Amino acid sequence: MTISTLTPAPFTRAATLDTTRFYMGSLMSFLTTGAETEGGFALMEYRGKPGNEPPPHIHLWENEIVYVLDGIMEMYCGDTVMLLHPGAMAFVPRGQPHAFYIRSAQFRALVIVQAVGEHPVQLDEYFRRMSTPAVSMTLPPNTATTYQTEDPERAVALANEHNMTILSPDEAAIALPQYPGFGKAEPLRDDTALRNQSLAVFGAGPGQWPLTATGSAS
């Protein structure tokens, strides 16, 4: 029997204040990073609430798995809508447009991003750069920066640096035909209900989300 002495070495880690950051109105605990897995995967614990979700986007290099621990999530991937309760998971393949709504007062899930091909995972570093050190293990105050108040040009630029594409309203309307729109969650309905596919749901004020197809704020 051969026992490998190569890195990475075994370790254990928990969601504590030392491993957690305030991320766009949510909590993100970094349990394993790409730097610790030779770029193979990263594992985060995500805690959020309705209204703090990211805009529609695509991961160019990574598969993503979301495993729900507490609460309810409605995940949109292409033309598919998945309603996730505790104990359920969703697999989002690399290159698939997706977005989600949190459908409970609070939400907690494990998020795994897996490298595909020769490129190392990048999404964990994007989360880190879009966040600040947490000062408690509770959700940030309502005054915290979220994607709906963040400078869209900064978020888009950082996403591009980490091989993620944030979709414009026109792109999202085509790629996610059942998604009501960023920041425009409709009341939860059963999975067979039709959803508003109008571009009008993407309206936003000057300097705020969403972006136009040219990449500047609408």
Side-chain angles (χ1 to χ4, degrees):
M1 180 176 66
T2 301
I3 299 176
S4 174
T5 58
L6 300 176
T7 57
F11 66 90
T12 182
R13 185 170 293 148
T16 65
L17 193 58
D18 289 341
T19 62
T20 302
R21 297 175 68 85
F22 284 162
Y23 163 66
M24 296 287 104
S26 304
L27 282 181
M28 184 75 72
S29 298
F30 294 81
L31 302 177
T32 305
T33 66
E36 296 166 326
T37 62
E38 298 180 333
F41 73 95
L43 170 65
M44 287 74 63
E45 181 180 295
Y46 170 81
R47 305 183 197 185
K49 63 182 180 180
N52 294 348
E53 303 92 342
H57 58 279
I58 301 172
H59 306 151
L60 301 179
W61 289 357
E62 295 143 308
N63 294 331
E64 181 177 25
I65 296 171
V66 178
Y67 179 80
V68 178
L69 298 172
D70 297 299
I72 302 172
M73 168 185 279
E74 192 171 47
M75 173 73 77
Y76 298 79
C77 187
D79 197 37
T80 300
V81 182
M82 298 173 279
L83 190 62
L84 307 175
H85 294 267
M89 60 79 68
F91 173 65
V92 180
R94 173 192 67 168
Q96 289 292 316
H98 59 285
F100 65 86
Y101 292 127
I102 295 172
R103 295 298 198 173
S104 51
Q106 291 200 21
F107 178 79
R108 185 166 67 99
L110 294 177
V111 178
I112 303 170
V113 288
Q114 173 203 24
V116 177
E118 62 184 16
H119 303 294
V121 296
Q122 292 277 311
L123 193 57
D124 58 327
E125 184 59 21
Y126 169 79
F127 288 147
R128 190 175 294 278
R129 293 182 68 183
M130 289 289 291
S131 62
T132 59
V135 298
S136 73
M137 290 300 291
T138 57
L139 290 175
N142 292 334
T143 55
T145 299
T146 69
Y147 275 106
Q148 295 192 57
T149 60
E150 172 62 280
D151 174 8
E153 292 187 0
R154 174 177 179 268
V156 169
L158 286 179
N160 290 340
E161 287 183 32
H162 296 285
N163 299 287
M164 182 172 81
T165 298
I166 293 177
L167 301 180
S168 71
D170 289 357
E171 292 167 338
I174 295 170
L176 300 170
Q178 299 197 64
Y179 177 65
F182 174 65
K184 301 288 184 179
E186 295 179 344
L188 182 61
R189 296 178 290 183
D190 66 68
D191 289 341
T192 62
L194 294 176
R195 288 168 169 80
N196 188 350
Q197 299 179 26
S198 170
L199 278 175
V201 301
F202 289 96
Q208 294 186 327
W209 295 95
L211 300 182
T212 66
T214 60
S216 59
S218 60

